[in-house]
Amino acid sequence: MTVPYFDLKIQYASLRDEILQAVDRVCAGASFVLGDEVAKFEEEFAAYCDVSHCVALNSGTSALHLALLAAGVESGHEVITTSNTFIATAEAISYTGAVPVFVDIDPITANIDPNLIEEAITDRTKVILPVHLYGRPAALDPIAEIASRHGLTLIEDACQAHGARYRGRRVGGFGQSAAFSFYPGKNLGAYGEGGALTTNDPQIAEFARTLRDHGQTKRYFHDFIGYNYRMDGFQGAVLRVKLRHLDEWNTRRREIARRYRELLEGAPVTLPQDSADCECNYHLFVAWTAERDEVREALAAAGVQTAIHYPRPVHLQRPYAALGYRAGSLPHTERACEQVFSLPLFPEMAIEQAEYAAETLAGLLQERTAALQEVEA
Ligand SMILES: *Cc1c(COP(=O)(O)O)cnc(C)c1O
């Protein structure tokens, strides 16, 4: 059996008629940029996230950038975030002229450790930007409490967390604003680039709407230097179709995750833990082992594809060398980058494929342990 890491083609086959009709509506109406489908998607996604506003954009990176600008972040400021993330989280901070301050992760959750945030706060800190990595919400209540005690703004990087819940509430409305990505591989993926900013603050929404469209408040009247961060009409139309399936897809992802956990119980590998606080959307199912590279190779040889999210922490990436972090600065984050690997997980995979992947992994871990014990004996 082969188990691909990911496959978007199966999903298209199941949605083809709906998608083609939606794309046809955009072409017939010639609303290729923003337009009716995008406006409707904004309403529907805001309702889905249980927030009052959604501003559709051309990427998650743009959403992070506008969220930070809306919070007044600029040169001279610091933004506290995690280094165990996709680099866009930090890039968006850099676009504003501010400096990212990386706090180590809690190794159980792989998200920013709330207990380490306070010691990173200075008089330049403006925002705390937790990431809901792999679709697992960060410790939002403790983080919000720290932010409010220090007069800081909370912004969520929810780019991997569509539909995930923290203490019963969907992510996207816990801070001043949140950023979502609709990159094709995300749980809610467009057919191209896409993103959104969500907020309960009408002024933040208005600011983001203006900035995404060259700072214009009236056609050809510009109040700020803005950007071209608008969402395409096609993406709005496709996302509306796909949003109707998101909950069922996330449920399916959780089922596959549960099966992985059952079959890997007791195996010498660290699995993502569910907690009473968090309903994860299982964007990724990420396991840890010290023998990650050998294990991945053996899995690949058995037909099971895996991936690494992420192999190098942001603080050790070349563009951030000048910040002065070095190997050992953030030990848990660095260990994650050495040990994590992502098992195949997408809603259309057969449960037999997940079972094969888990049994193959359990089997080869057992062989390796037995071989090791022989050497020791
Ligand atoms: C995907 C992602 C982004 C960036 O989103 P794009 O739509 O690719 O710009 C930002 N942060 C995280 C955590 C992501 O996974």
Side-chain angles (χ1 to χ4, degrees), residues 230-247:
R230 299 170 303 224
M231 179 180 276
D232 285 352
F234 285 139
Q235 305 313 338
V238 166
L239 287 166
R240 289 187 69 207
V241 170
K242 293 185 66 171
L243 180 58
R244 296 198 277 273
H245 300 275
L246 179 57
D247 279 339

Side-chain angles (χ1 to χ4, degrees), residues 58-64 84-91 131-134 157-161 179-184 186 192-196 283-284 310:
N58 63 348
S59 76
T61 309
S62 307
L64 286 165
N84 190 32
T85 182
F86 181 58
I87 195 163
T89 314
E91 283 178 315
V131 178
H132 308 315
L133 198 69
Y134 316 142
D157 182 338
C159 284
Q160 301 187 357
F180 287 89
S181 166
F182 306 121
Y183 185 78
K186 303 287 163 89
E193 305 277 357
H283 174 55
L284 301 172
Y310 294 91

Side-chain angles (χ1 to χ4, degrees), residues 21 29 31 80 88 96 105 120 128 138 154 159 184 190 196 230 243 251 304 349 362 377:
Q21 279 168 25
S31 45
I80 292 177
T96 68
I105 55 168
I128 307 177
L154 170 62
C159 284
R230 299 170 303 224
L243 180 58
T251 300
V304 178
M349 77 190 276

Side-chain angles (χ1 to χ4, degrees), residues 42 46 51-55 172 197-203 205-206 209:
E42 289 178 327
V51 295
S52 39
H53 306 275
C54 164
V55 181
L197 177 149
T198 57
T199 180
N200 284 309
D201 181 334
Q203 280 177 309
E206 194 49 40
R209 273 180 211 290

Side-chain angles (χ1 to χ4, degrees), residues 96-329:
T96 68
V99 174
V101 173
F102 300 112
V103 164
D104 209 356
I105 55 168
D106 171 346
I108 306 283
T109 66
N111 281 326
I112 191 168
D113 185 343
N115 298 314
L116 302 176
I117 290 177
E118 268 188 299
E119 62 200 57
I121 295 173
T122 72
D123 52 9
R124 293 178 297 279
T125 310
K126 189 83 178 167
V127 165
I128 307 177
L129 175 58
V131 178
H132 308 315
L133 198 69
Y134 316 142
R136 181 200 176 103
L140 284 164
D141 280 353
I143 296 171
E145 192 275 318
I146 294 166
S148 103
R149 196 146 36 80
H150 292 268
L152 306 175
T153 302
L154 170 62
I155 296 173
E156 300 168 71
D157 182 338
C159 284
Q160 301 187 357
H162 325 72
R165 285 189 168 92
Y166 179 78
R167 297 190 172 161
R169 270 173 65 202
R170 285 204 205 277
V171 301
F174 281 86
Q176 184 183 73
S177 61
F180 287 89
S181 166
F182 306 121
Y183 185 78
K186 303 287 163 89
N187 288 30
L188 179 62
Y191 281 5
E193 305 277 357
L197 177 149
T198 57
T199 180
N200 284 309
D201 181 334
Q203 280 177 309
I204 298 287
E206 194 49 40
F207 185 73
R209 273 180 211 290
T210 307
L211 276 199
R212 79 173 164 186
D213 198 11
H214 301 287
Q216 66 182 357
T217 40
K218 208 168 84 180
R219 195 154 178 82
Y220 302 132
F221 290 86
H222 306 268
D223 289 354
F224 314 93
I225 300 289
Y227 301 88
N228 178 354
Y229 281 175
R230 299 170 303 224
M231 179 180 276
D232 285 352
F234 285 139
Q235 305 313 338
V238 166
L239 287 166
R240 289 187 69 207
V241 170
K242 293 185 66 171
L243 180 58
R244 296 198 277 273
H245 300 275
L246 179 57
D247 279 339
E248 137 213 347
W249 290 333
N250 282 350
T251 300
R252 174 76 179 162
R253 285 173 181 272
R254 281 190 286 271
E255 276 166 21
I256 295 166
R258 193 180 322 122
R259 196 76 189 111
Y260 273 148
R261 206 173 290 105
E262 284 165 6
L263 291 170
L264 290 167
E265 211 198 306
V269 62
T270 306
L271 302 178
Q273 300 298 308
D274 275 336
S275 84
D277 281 346
C278 295
E279 185 178 75
C280 306
N281 73 0
Y282 279 98
H283 174 55
L284 301 172
F285 187 93
V286 176
W288 302 45
T289 163
E291 313 198 291
R292 189 260 315 272
D293 296 337
E294 297 87 336
V295 165
R296 286 191 70 222
E297 237 169 79
L299 281 172
V304 178
Q305 289 177 4
T306 57
I308 301 178
H309 301 88
Y310 294 91
R312 179 186 282 172
V314 179
H315 70 283
L316 300 180
Q317 299 278 359
R318 200 174 293 167
Y320 290 109
L323 296 183
Y325 294 90
R326 48 193 103 271
S329 297

